[in-house]
Amino acid sequence: LKTPIQKFLINTFLVHLAIGATTASANEGMWTPQQLPHIEKDLKNAGLEIDPASLSQLTEFPMGAIVSLGGCTASFVSPQGLVITNHHCAYGSIQYNSTPEKDLIKNGFLAKSLDQELQAVPGSRVLVTVEVKNVSDQIIDSKTAAFSGKKRIAAMEVNEKRLISECEKDVGHRCNVHSFYGGLEFHLIKQLEILDVRLVHAPADGVGKFGGDTDNWMWPRHTGDYSFYRAYVGKDGKPAKFSVDNVPYAPKHYLRLATEGLKENDFVMVTGYPGRTNRHRLPSEVNFSFGTNYPAFIKASGEVIDIINRETNNRKDAEIKYASTLAGVNNYFKNRQGMLDSYRGGDLLERKQKSFSELKTWVNADKTRKQEYGAGVTATEKLIAERDAIIQHEFLLSYATPRFLSSARVLYRLANEKTKPDIKRESGYQERDASRIEQGQDAIDKRYDEQVDKALAIHFLKQYVAQPKKYQNAAFLSALGLKSNADEATIKIQLNKLYAGSKLGDKATRLAWLKRDLADFKASDDSFIKAAIALYFDDQRRENRDKELSGNIQRAYAQYMKALIAFKSSKGEAVYPDANSTLRVTFGTVSGRTPAGQDGMGWAPFTTLNGIAAKNTGEGEFDAPAAQLEAIKNKSFDKYYDPKLTSVPVNFLATLDITGGNSGSPVLNKRAEFTGIAFDGTLDSVISDWDFNNATTRTIAVDLRYILWQMKVVDKADNLLTELGVR
Amino acid sequence: LKTPIQKFLINTFLVHLAIGATTASANEGMWTPQQLPHIEKDLKNAGLEIDPASLSQLTEFPMGAIVSLGGCTASFVSPQGLVITNHHCAYGSIQYNSTPEKDLIKNGFLAKSLDQELQAVPGSRVLVTVEVKNVSDQIIDSKTAAFSGKKRIAAMEVNEKRLISECEKDVGHRCNVHSFYGGLEFHLIKQLEILDVRLVHAPADGVGKFGGDTDNWMWPRHTGDYSFYRAYVGKDGKPAKFSVDNVPYAPKHYLRLATEGLKENDFVMVTGYPGRTNRHRLPSEVNFSFGTNYPAFIKASGEVIDIINRETNNRKDAEIKYASTLAGVNNYFKNRQGMLDSYRGGDLLERKQKSFSELKTWVNADKTRKQEYGAGVTATEKLIAERDAIIQHEFLLSYATPRFLSSARVLYRLANEKTKPDIKRESGYQERDASRIEQGQDAIDKRYDEQVDKALAIHFLKQYVAQPKKYQNAAFLSALGLKSNADEATIKIQLNKLYAGSKLGDKATRLAWLKRDLADFKASDDSFIKAAIALYFDDQRRENRDKELSGNIQRAYAQYMKALIAFKSSKGEAVYPDANSTLRVTFGTVSGRTPAGQDGMGWAPFTTLNGIAAKNTGEGEFDAPAAQLEAIKNKSFDKYYDPKLTSVPVNFLATLDITGGNSGSPVLNKRAEFTGIAFDGTLDSVISDWDFNNATTRTIAVDLRYILWQMKVVDKADNLLTELGVR
């Protein structure tokens, strides 16, 4: 599973520093729409039958049908705004609508008519990319280019906010500036933002999450990882907040379902929003991630999982509340462990060091080059080391922070920012962010349990105070009423006091703080509000420190990146930007892999219903619905039988270059018809985020035939099948 | 494993009725040397780099290096007559030289010099095919063509014996007439017959038979199924019986070892002596084999296995004696079960019935055709039904016959035949057969244990007398002193009496009977000799009945076959003859298979040393030698490491059309260099003997690199490696 949000975010820096380069290899490449004209011939040769040029037209078919859910990808599949994405991408909404009495996670959900559709989890969006513009010269204009540090970041932010504000004058749209090539280029991306999203259909967990964490990132796979949303707009056809008066959105384009099943070696293509890749990082960044950060992350995640399981044991309500969080943590826990295993069995660092050393040799071999890039490359190494030291020392902070202290900080920061004119406010605290902040605070209750949250905070606070004092944040401890040598009993007593002293757990109380001013905050005796105020000065200090560093890194890293592009270019190699949550296209073929699995074995390109019956244990992660097992047993294959596979295909493998954020992406055939939905990669190749290997990297997708078979034969979703045009 | 000899032979008929047809499909086809000019282009296109025409030159390279062991294939691999074949083909010789004190089966064997080489099991031969001649018009001359029944067979035998006798005037050669296209064509095949064969090297059973019956016919596979013989001749270079004065044979041609390892999709070719395929049998033959004969065979074989295991338990000497027999029975037991499983899961009979019905429609649609083939086709169906009824009713006879009663019958028949001039004697009892008969009788002791043999006879006699009386052979029971309603106690008493009353268990006594005349036999009071004499009249009756039927079948089946060839030809399809233990060539590619194994998995083309370590349990069938495991653990890969596989390859899969008799065949690369040795097929495709399926049929071979690695790193067979030209 590639999931959208990593709850405990590692990298809090403004500018995502990501660089990348194409290789001559077959299926590597997350192409930007602008780059597509350059690979038209490759697409044609690979078997694409539609005009490749159409792929660079964002508002035409098929790109107009591909949408972002903010962290996941999805696509329109009917003229009534029906959207298909992964079950794990809709999991938050399924969980949000579940109660112990009406357990949609376990039983699945099917709206038989529009009025039965359920509001998605607050904050849900359907975003349709309508324009991409290179604004590098406007973000780093001549004035900004002369600045460094915090001043540089501030100037960039002013430019960014102005561009965004102008862009968002087109009501119903959301605009963002994304950094490409590690801050060398900036693109302004404009998206239609549909605010009213509803849950239409999800299969039972025993289908949508069949195999659970055991099968996650694994092959052979048998997961029906699909669900349906519907986009709603106001009666005027414009995006509007949820209202019973809203009507289904009529997308300009939607995908048609393929009528022919995929076969081995067929051309396939994925369009979607990959989150992040790190294919050309510095050796020191590789070393820090794999030597320090990932091991720390794996350790902490394992503890989070244990604590959530322990504290929700026999508490069905708490279990449902934490199901989504747990799935996310488990997912990244396994992912990072897989990366680390590959890293330890390989020679990535050696290769990085070798190529970085070659780059430096090349730079220094020529006077002009040395003058142009030399300082930038040297500075980058030094600044990255500073940044990584900060990340390492502050690693446990977010784990040790009670959920409502985080809320209090957001609320107090908002009150502070609201004293400024909107355009001067910090990004994330402007008027355009108001509803996102509100929804964030609104949604907490359905995913929060005090017992769990407190146990997590106590556990990590203990670790935090066990660190050398010089790495501890005195302001943070002081705000919690703790000393640097606090023992477990004291931590517990103090946290009990803090949790008891706050009313932020009450939704109405919490949301009311969104409207209050600074005087209200200062007069409050809410324990977490008081702690947030106490922390404010230090939070500002850390933010300024980070901005100073970020400004310098951006300037240096852009130089390094320029040098790298020039170096590669001198060797005839093109460079494409690493993934950065913007719309990309990747293409490849349906293809198994050998060797794989045990000695002498390989992976077939398809799994089938036979494997579901074989894996089913009737409990836990392998608990297929009885109706499904009965249909398999009776060979009720309908028209979805594949004679070569002697059953209905379930999941398939393809040589596609995807990563987290691509979850929910449609897999299109040579005619750009919908043939399945990408949802995962394989554990021994997840290191492809850093180090792509054509021989091993595979995307795992749900076959359309399985989705339709399950909907028709098992879930009797005839209303949706009709809407999808299935006869 | 494909083993040479099926101990309990099902079909005792003189003329092997086997028909076949090529399809347009890629890797189906066991081509005769004469047919090779027709597929020259296919061979070139597939990647063969040597001149394909050279393959039809039996006395040139490489065909001159390919030899038959009579049931297995082998090849010369050094100028000193060194021969490589399968471990399971040399198993009889390894077992023959083993004792509880010097267990060559368990420990393996390596002759460090010529004088340490051991005599192979009596009857061992190295046969080099030197000429193939179509003699159809001489076997069925105009006079013979007019005959039917026994008279026809007799006339054919006269012609056959004359041709053989003329051919064998070339001393040191053995000639045989083989039937092609189910008795439509006959070829005289002349082979140099090397009589002195010695065991040179065999790996330990934990290598040569690693995986045992569990892995037999299975993939992934890790069996080092190779052994070495050496051919010896008299000092004059001519074949001679074993003598210490004999010298290694200098073959005109021998295979060179490939210096480059095989990769997936590489061209490969197998030359060898496939035993029998049944690709175009009548529907009634398919129905009889799968509906009656194979199920009966599987039941009886299972009982034989149980009895041998029970009676040899804790008797190491008896266990060694029956090791080879047990391996053979186990092998066919699993093979036939695999065929039956495929048959029951498929529609072979329906397809057979459909195509046979099409053939009949085509024959009857035209007057000339109806006149030419009509009667033959009708008669074939009727005669085959008669034959199958006899086979069914006599099925248990051979199982119920004590080993030395069989000996006594052979000895008494020989004394009878010897009263005639040699050319008039029954085939198999001529002077040319004398040494084969003697060796057969000589070798019994090393594979015989009275307790086991008696237990088998008693078990199957009980079943025999439980049949309806009309299916019992009164003469047989009477000769054993039994009535048709004998109970178990009576059978035991009577068999104890028979076994006690015979001296044939004494080798010298037994061999002395080879020289005795009819009067000596009639005067004997040896219990089995007396029984054989008592049975003689009925044995003759049955033989005459079978010959009458065979003559009629031959005539009718040839007509049916002619009709089939004409029918196929009318549709543009060529027909090649089914396998009949004559030299054939098949070509294909190194190739895994998907799907295969569990759902979503497939077979990789290679296994590696990693799999040996993973499978090893240290006991029973998975007991790799300690030195081998140590070498694997230490990654002592020498130069046999494959970077893609990250280890040394062990076995590989290829799309080659082979069957029993191909065991030991060299796998040649595009330059006709030795790259490995074929030893098995896969259980779910053994039905290819009847019904070839390109998608599923795979040959399993030992990779040369594994053989050399094991010989060098583990077994320190430096003397042989030097002889093989390995530096």
Side-chain angles (χ1 to χ4, degrees):
Chain A
L1 297 178
K2 316 244 177 186
T3 54
I5 302 144
Q6 182 179 334
K7 190 192 171 198
F8 304 103
L9 208 62
I10 293 164
N11 190 337
T12 55
F13 281 72
L14 174 73
V15 180
H16 291 178
L17 303 167
I19 57 170
T22 58
T23 69
S25 63
N27 300 112
E28 179 174 356
M30 298 174 175
W31 306 94
T32 64
Q34 305 96 300
Q35 287 180 308
L36 288 176
H38 303 303
I39 58 157
E40 273 191 20
K41 213 198 263 175
D42 296 325
L43 283 162
K44 274 284 181 209
N45 288 343
L48 182 69
E49 287 185 2
I50 62 161
D51 180 3
S54 68
L55 292 171
S56 48
Q57 306 302 312
L58 296 178
T59 53
E60 297 305 319
F61 177 84
M63 299 302 267
I66 316 302
V67 300
S68 169
L69 302 179
C72 272
T73 302
S75 45
F76 287 123
V77 285
S78 94
Q80 291 88 42
L82 192 65
V83 164
I84 190 165
T85 187
N86 285 148
H87 181 266
H88 79 265
C89 292
Y91 200 75
S93 295
I94 304 167
Q95 180 239 326
Y96 183 79
N97 285 289
S98 286
T99 61
E101 298 74 38
K102 201 185 70 170
D103 191 346
L104 305 191
I105 296 176
K106 181 169 170 33
N107 304 316
F109 171 72
L110 172 64
K112 285 294 213 177
S113 56
L114 293 182
D115 61 304
Q116 291 180 4
E117 295 175 358
L118 301 169
Q119 248 191 287
V121 64
S124 296
R125 295 280 183 279
V126 166
L127 300 159
V128 191
T129 301
V130 293
E131 197 178 32
V132 176
K133 227 168 24 187
N134 188 332
V135 293
S136 307
D137 293 345
Q138 289 153 277
I139 293 291
I140 315 266
D141 54 16
S142 56
K143 201 186 77 187
T144 306
F147 296 153
S148 68
K150 186 169 177 277
K151 207 169 168 191
R152 186 179 179 97
I153 291 293
M156 287 169 65
E157 282 183 353
V158 166
N159 293 336
E160 182 185 1
K161 282 185 275 193
R162 190 188 61 244
L163 286 166
I164 288 171
S165 149
E166 280 162 17
C167 176
E168 290 185 351
K169 281 180 184 150
D170 189 354
V171 176
H173 293 82
R174 189 156 184 94
C175 304
N176 279 296
V177 172
H178 287 261
S179 150
F180 288 73
Y181 297 114
L184 180 60
E185 274 187 21
F186 297 88
H187 296 181
L188 177 69
I189 296 177
K190 181 176 176 183
Q191 296 178 306
L192 181 74
E193 183 183 33
I194 298 174
L195 303 167
D196 185 354
V197 182
R198 304 190 193 171
L199 182 65
V200 176
H201 173 46
D205 219 34
V207 173
K209 213 185 158 189
F210 186 76
D213 289 322
T214 302
D215 272 9
N216 190 13
W217 302 105
M218 305 306 270
W219 186 264
R221 193 65 163 281
H222 299 85
T223 309
D225 199 349
Y226 66 91
S227 287
F228 291 90
Y229 275 138
R230 192 184 303 279
Y232 280 78
V233 288
K235 283 188 170 159
D236 59 355
K238 296 260 159 71
K241 286 191 177 182
F242 173 82
S243 157
V244 288
D245 296 332
N246 284 348
V247 295
Y249 171 67
K252 201 171 152 201
H253 301 285
Y254 64 93
L255 299 178
R256 267 69 174 182
L257 306 190
T259 50
E260 229 174 86
L262 283 176
K263 306 181 305 295
E264 185 165 10
N265 297 323
D266 276 358
F267 171 91
V268 280
M269 173 170 72
V270 153
T271 52
Y273 293 83
R276 169 135 26 139
T277 53
N278 308 294
R279 299 229 173 108
H280 286 263
R281 294 263 186 171
L282 290 172
S284 66
E285 295 183 276
V286 169
N287 190 40
F288 173 68
S289 288
F290 290 95
T292 303
N293 200 341
Y294 286 177
F297 174 80
I298 290 164
K299 178 176 177 292
S301 299
E303 292 163 7
V304 169
I305 292 164
D306 288 345
I307 291 166
I308 292 177
N309 283 330
R310 186 185 73 211
E311 300 295 333
T312 60
N313 190 28
N314 285 322
R315 295 171 62 227
K316 185 73 187 166
D317 182 56
E319 191 188 318
I320 290 176
K321 284 179 169 173
Y322 277 83
S324 183
T325 301
L326 194 61
V329 180
N330 258 317
N331 181 43
Y332 273 92
F333 175 68
K334 198 166 181 178
N335 173 296
R336 293 296 187 261
Q337 188 61 59
M339 282 197 188
L340 207 54
D341 289 345
S342 295
Y343 178 76
R344 287 173 177 163
D347 61 347
L348 174 57
L349 185 58
E350 288 75 6
R351 282 182 285 118
K352 283 281 161 191
Q353 283 165 335
K354 185 163 169 281
S355 63
F356 188 61
S357 149
E358 281 165 3
L359 170 68
K360 287 200 282 191
T361 305
W362 179 80
V363 166
N364 292 323
D366 176 278
K367 245 186 200 165
T368 323
R369 290 202 295 260
K370 196 172 172 179
Q371 199 168 359
E372 195 174 353
Y373 311 122
V377 173
T378 307
T380 301
E381 280 194 279
K382 185 184 144 286
L383 294 164
I384 290 295
E386 282 180 41
R387 184 195 64 180
D388 290 344
I390 294 172
I391 293 174
Q392 184 180 356
H393 299 140
E394 298 194 342
F395 179 79
L396 286 172
L397 266 183
S398 62
Y399 288 90
T401 303
R403 180 69 190 86
F404 289 125
L405 173 54
S406 300
S407 285
R409 281 156 121 175
V410 168
L411 296 166
Y412 184 60
R413 177 70 183 270
L414 181 63
N416 273 283
E417 294 297 328
K418 276 159 97 179
T419 63
K420 310 174 195 168
D422 192 63
I423 196 77
K424 297 265 182 192
R425 294 184 199 166
E426 181 71 13
S427 284
Y429 294 92
Q430 295 180 282
E431 275 311 314
R432 66 191 284 274
D433 304 309
S435 71
R436 194 183 51 75
I437 294 175
E438 183 178 338
Q439 279 154 357
Q441 295 304 318
D442 184 292
I444 293 173
D445 306 80
K446 290 244 174 183
R447 299 175 173 202
Y448 176 85
D449 176 79
E450 186 175 305
Q451 180 181 326
V452 176
D453 195 69
K454 204 193 284 177
L456 285 168
I458 290 169
H459 175 84
F460 287 105
L461 272 170
K462 270 163 55 192
Q463 288 185 15
Y464 191 73
V465 297
Q467 296 183 110
K469 197 172 172 186
K470 61 176 172 175
Y471 297 142
Q472 297 179 18
N473 183 322
F476 173 71
L477 289 175
S478 156
L480 294 178
L482 292 169
K483 296 229 169 81
S484 78
N485 57 355
D487 60 13
E488 184 168 353
T490 314
I491 293 171
K492 280 185 176 165
I493 291 165
Q494 191 52 28
L495 258 65
N496 281 332
K497 229 188 278 175
L498 280 165
Y499 278 82
S502 175
K503 297 263 180 308
L504 291 181
D506 176 63
K507 194 200 279 192
T509 307
R510 187 168 68 247
L511 295 180
W513 280 106
L514 288 165
K515 314 283 175 203
R516 303 243 167 91
D517 65 17
L518 288 177
D520 296 330
F521 276 86
K522 279 168 186 161
S524 170
D525 64 351
D526 186 285
S527 56
F528 285 132
I529 298 281
K530 285 168 77 176
I533 295 171
L535 267 170
Y536 189 70
F537 177 80
D538 190 67
D539 284 349
Q540 289 294 304
R541 177 194 62 81
R542 294 202 295 132
E543 189 174 306
N544 287 333
R545 175 200 65 190
D546 292 351
K547 283 185 176 174
E548 179 69 22
L549 191 50
S550 285
N552 291 334
I553 288 178
Q554 188 275 328
R555 197 173 58 165
Y557 216 102
Q559 285 305 103
Y560 157 66
M561 198 55 224
K562 253 191 192 167
L564 187 70
I565 291 171
F567 177 49
K568 296 255 178 197
S569 169
S570 78
K571 297 195 292 179
E573 294 172 30
V575 178
Y576 72 90
D578 255 321
N580 60 351
S581 300
T582 62
L583 190 56
R584 303 293 179 100
V585 175
T586 168
F587 63 98
T589 57
V590 175
S591 176
R593 202 183 102 184
T594 53
Q598 69 176 124
D599 191 59
M601 297 296 285
W603 290 340
F606 293 91
T607 56
T608 73
L609 296 181
N610 297 330
I612 295 176
K615 279 181 177 176
N616 185 68
T617 61
E619 56 185 30
E621 295 174 323
F622 296 92
D623 188 13
Q628 189 195 54
L629 292 169
E630 189 67 15
I632 295 172
K633 197 177 149 202
N634 295 338
K635 295 183 188 291
S636 306
F637 296 141
D638 204 82
K639 61 182 171 183
Y640 304 107
Y641 178 82
D642 181 312
K644 204 198 154 190
L645 302 171
T646 69
S647 185
V648 176
V650 173
N651 289 163
F652 65 87
L653 293 172
T655 60
L656 293 164
D657 186 2
I658 70 167
T659 188
N662 270 118
S663 278
S665 292
V667 180
L668 306 178
N669 68 10
K670 60 188 176 185
R671 287 184 288 270
E673 295 164 339
F674 183 94
T675 61
I677 182 162
F679 72 100
D680 208 359
T682 59
L683 196 60
D684 68 351
S685 65
V686 288
I687 200 170
S688 68
D689 279 3
W690 291 82
D691 191 28
F692 192 92
N693 182 341
N694 261 311
T696 56
T697 307
R698 292 291 181 280
T699 285
I700 307 179
V702 192
D703 194 292
L704 171 63
R705 289 165 287 184
Y706 180 53
I707 299 175
L708 297 180
W709 176 83
Q710 174 71 21
M711 288 174 72
K712 181 163 181 190
V713 176
V714 183
D715 289 334
K716 320 284 183 200
D718 301 313
N719 55 322
L720 290 184
L721 290 169
T722 303
E723 182 174 348
L724 288 165
V726 178
R727 270 159 314 180
Chain B
L1 297 179
K2 316 244 175 184
T3 53
I5 301 142
Q6 183 177 333
K7 190 192 170 196
F8 303 103
L9 209 62
I10 293 164
N11 190 337
T12 57
F13 281 72
L14 174 72
V15 181
H16 290 177
L17 304 167
I19 57 170
T22 57
T23 70
S25 64
N27 299 112
E28 178 173 356
M30 298 174 176
W31 306 94
T32 64
Q34 304 96 300
Q35 288 180 307
L36 289 176
H38 304 303
I39 59 157
E40 274 191 22
K41 215 198 265 176
D42 297 326
L43 283 162
K44 275 282 178 210
N45 288 344
L48 182 68
E49 287 185 1
I50 62 161
D51 180 3
S54 68
L55 291 171
S56 49
Q57 306 302 312
L58 296 178
T59 53
E60 297 304 319
F61 178 84
M63 299 303 266
I66 315 303
V67 300
S68 169
L69 302 179
C72 272
T73 303
S75 44
F76 288 123
V77 285
S78 95
Q80 291 88 42
L82 192 65
V83 164
I84 190 166
T85 187
N86 285 147
H87 182 266
H88 79 266
C89 292
Y91 200 74
S93 296
I94 304 167
Q95 180 237 326
Y96 184 77
N97 285 289
S98 285
T99 61
E101 297 74 37
K102 201 186 66 170
D103 191 346
L104 305 191
I105 296 175
K106 181 168 170 33
N107 304 315
F109 171 71
L110 172 64
K112 283 294 212 176
S113 56
L114 293 181
D115 61 304
Q116 291 180 4
E117 295 176 358
L118 301 170
Q119 249 191 287
V121 65
S124 295
R125 295 283 182 277
V126 166
L127 300 159
V128 190
T129 301
V130 293
E131 197 179 32
V132 177
K133 224 162 36 181
N134 188 332
V135 293
S136 307
D137 294 344
Q138 288 152 279
I139 293 290
I140 315 265
D141 53 17
S142 56
K143 202 185 76 185
T144 307
F147 296 151
S148 68
K150 187 171 176 276
K151 207 169 167 191
R152 185 179 180 95
I153 291 292
M156 287 168 67
E157 282 184 353
V158 167
N159 293 336
E160 181 184 3
K161 281 186 275 191
R162 193 188 57 246
L163 286 167
I164 288 172
S165 150
E166 280 162 18
C167 177
E168 291 186 350
K169 280 181 185 149
D170 190 355
V171 175
H173 293 82
R174 190 158 183 95
C175 304
N176 279 296
V177 172
H178 286 262
S179 150
F180 288 73
Y181 297 115
L184 180 60
E185 272 188 22
F186 296 89
H187 296 182
L188 177 68
I189 295 178
K190 181 176 175 183
Q191 296 179 305
L192 181 74
E193 182 183 35
I194 297 173
L195 305 167
D196 186 353
V197 183
R198 304 190 194 171
L199 183 65
V200 176
H201 173 46
D205 218 35
V207 173
K209 213 184 158 188
F210 185 78
D213 289 322
T214 303
D215 272 9
N216 190 14
W217 303 106
M218 305 306 270
W219 186 265
R221 192 65 162 281
H222 300 85
T223 309
D225 199 349
Y226 67 91
S227 288
F228 291 90
Y229 276 137
R230 192 184 303 279
Y232 280 78
V233 288
K235 283 187 172 161
D236 59 355
K238 297 261 158 71
K241 286 191 176 179
F242 172 80
S243 159
V244 287
D245 295 333
N246 284 348
V247 295
Y249 171 68
K252 202 171 152 201
H253 301 285
Y254 64 93
L255 300 177
R256 266 70 173 180
L257 306 190
T259 49
E260 227 175 87
L262 284 175
K263 307 181 304 295
E264 185 166 10
N265 298 323
D266 275 358
F267 171 91
V268 280
M269 172 169 74
V270 153
T271 52
Y273 292 84
R276 173 143 14 147
T277 52
N278 309 295
R279 300 229 171 106
H280 285 263
R281 295 262 187 173
L282 291 171
S284 67
E285 294 182 277
V286 169
N287 189 38
F288 172 68
S289 289
F290 290 95
T292 303
N293 200 339
Y294 286 177
F297 174 81
I298 290 164
K299 178 176 177 292
S301 300
E303 292 163 7
V304 168
I305 292 164
D306 288 346
I307 291 165
I308 293 176
N309 283 331
R310 186 185 72 211
E311 301 296 331
T312 59
N313 189 28
N314 285 321
R315 296 171 61 227
K316 184 73 187 166
D317 181 58
E319 191 188 320
I320 290 176
K321 283 178 168 173
Y322 277 83
S324 183
T325 301
L326 194 61
V329 180
N330 257 318
N331 182 43
Y332 273 92
F333 175 69
K334 197 165 180 180
N335 172 297
R336 293 295 187 262
Q337 188 60 59
M339 282 196 188
L340 206 55
D341 289 344
S342 294
Y343 178 78
R344 287 173 177 161
D347 60 348
L348 174 57
L349 184 59
E350 288 75 5
R351 282 183 285 119
K352 284 281 163 190
Q353 283 165 336
K354 185 164 171 279
S355 62
F356 188 61
S357 147
E358 281 165 4
L359 171 68
K360 286 200 282 192
T361 305
W362 179 80
V363 166
N364 292 323
D366 176 279
K367 245 189 199 163
T368 322
R369 289 202 296 261
K370 194 172 174 179
Q371 197 168 1
E372 196 175 350
Y373 311 122
V377 172
T378 308
T380 301
E381 280 195 280
K382 184 184 146 285
L383 294 164
I384 290 294
E386 282 179 41
R387 185 195 63 179
D388 290 345
I390 294 171
I391 293 174
Q392 184 180 355
H393 300 141
E394 297 194 344
F395 179 78
L396 287 173
L397 266 184
S398 62
Y399 287 90
T401 303
R403 180 69 190 85
F404 288 124
L405 174 54
S406 300
S407 285
R409 281 157 121 174
V410 168
L411 296 166
Y412 184 59
R413 177 72 183 270
L414 182 64
N416 272 283
E417 295 297 329
K418 274 158 97 179
T419 62
K420 311 174 194 167
D422 192 63
I423 196 76
K424 296 264 183 193
R425 292 184 199 167
E426 181 71 12
S427 284
Y429 293 93
Q430 295 179 284
E431 274 313 313
R432 67 191 283 273
D433 304 309
S435 71
R436 194 184 49 76
I437 294 175
E438 183 179 340
Q439 279 153 358
Q441 296 304 318
D442 184 292
I444 293 173
D445 305 80
K446 291 244 173 183
R447 298 174 174 206
Y448 176 83
D449 176 80
E450 187 176 303
Q451 180 182 328
V452 176
D453 194 70
K454 204 193 284 179
L456 285 167
I458 290 169
H459 176 84
F460 286 107
L461 272 170
K462 270 164 56 192
Q463 287 186 15
Y464 191 73
V465 297
Q467 296 182 112
K469 195 172 173 184
K470 63 177 170 175
Y471 297 141
Q472 296 179 18
N473 182 320
F476 174 71
L477 289 175
S478 156
L480 295 179
L482 292 169
K483 296 228 169 84
S484 77
N485 57 355
D487 60 13
E488 184 168 353
T490 313
I491 293 171
K492 278 185 179 165
I493 290 164
Q494 191 53 28
L495 258 65
N496 281 331
K497 229 187 280 175
L498 281 165
Y499 278 81
S502 174
K503 298 262 181 306
L504 292 180
D506 176 63
K507 193 201 278 192
T509 307
R510 187 167 69 248
L511 295 181
W513 281 106
L514 289 165
K515 314 284 177 200
R516 303 242 167 93
D517 64 16
L518 288 176
D520 296 332
F521 276 86
K522 280 168 183 159
S524 170
D525 65 350
D526 186 285
S527 56
F528 285 133
I529 297 283
K530 286 167 77 175
I533 294 170
L535 268 170
Y536 189 70
F537 178 80
D538 190 66
D539 284 351
Q540 289 294 303
R541 177 193 64 79
R542 294 201 297 131
E543 188 174 307
N544 287 333
R545 175 200 65 190
D546 292 351
K547 283 186 176 174
E548 180 68 23
L549 190 51
S550 285
N552 292 334
I553 289 178
Q554 188 276 328
R555 198 171 59 164
Y557 216 102
Q559 285 305 103
Y560 158 67
M561 198 56 224
K562 253 192 192 166
L564 187 69
I565 291 171
F567 177 50
K568 295 255 176 195
S569 168
S570 78
K571 297 195 291 179
E573 294 173 29
V575 179
Y576 70 91
D578 255 321
N580 59 351
S581 299
T582 62
L583 190 56
R584 304 293 179 99
V585 175
T586 168
F587 63 98
T589 56
V590 176
S591 176
R593 203 183 102 184
T594 53
Q598 69 176 125
D599 191 59
M601 297 296 285
W603 290 340
F606 293 91
T607 56
T608 73
L609 296 181
N610 297 330
I612 295 177
K615 280 182 176 176
N616 185 70
T617 61
E619 56 184 29
E621 295 174 324
F622 297 92
D623 188 13
Q628 189 194 53
L629 294 169
E630 189 65 13
I632 296 170
K633 198 177 150 202
N634 295 337
K635 298 184 187 290
S636 306
F637 297 141
D638 204 81
K639 60 182 173 185
Y640 304 107
Y641 179 83
D642 182 312
K644 204 199 154 190
L645 303 170
T646 68
S647 185
V648 176
V650 173
N651 290 164
F652 65 87
L653 294 171
T655 59
L656 293 164
D657 185 3
I658 70 166
T659 187
N662 269 118
S663 278
S665 292
V667 180
L668 306 178
N669 67 10
K670 60 188 176 185
R671 287 183 289 270
E673 295 163 338
F674 183 95
T675 60
I677 182 162
F679 72 99
D680 208 359
T682 58
L683 196 59
D684 68 350
S685 65
V686 288
I687 200 170
S688 69
D689 278 3
W690 292 82
D691 191 29
F692 193 92
N693 183 339
N694 262 310
T696 57
T697 306
R698 291 291 181 280
T699 285
I700 307 180
V702 192
D703 194 293
L704 172 63
R705 289 165 288 185
Y706 179 53
I707 299 175
L708 297 180
W709 176 82
Q710 174 71 22
M711 289 174 72
K712 183 164 180 189
V713 176
V714 184
D715 289 335
K716 320 285 183 197
D718 301 313
N719 55 322
L720 291 183
L721 290 169
T722 303
E723 183 175 347
L724 289 165
V726 178
R727 273 157 311 177

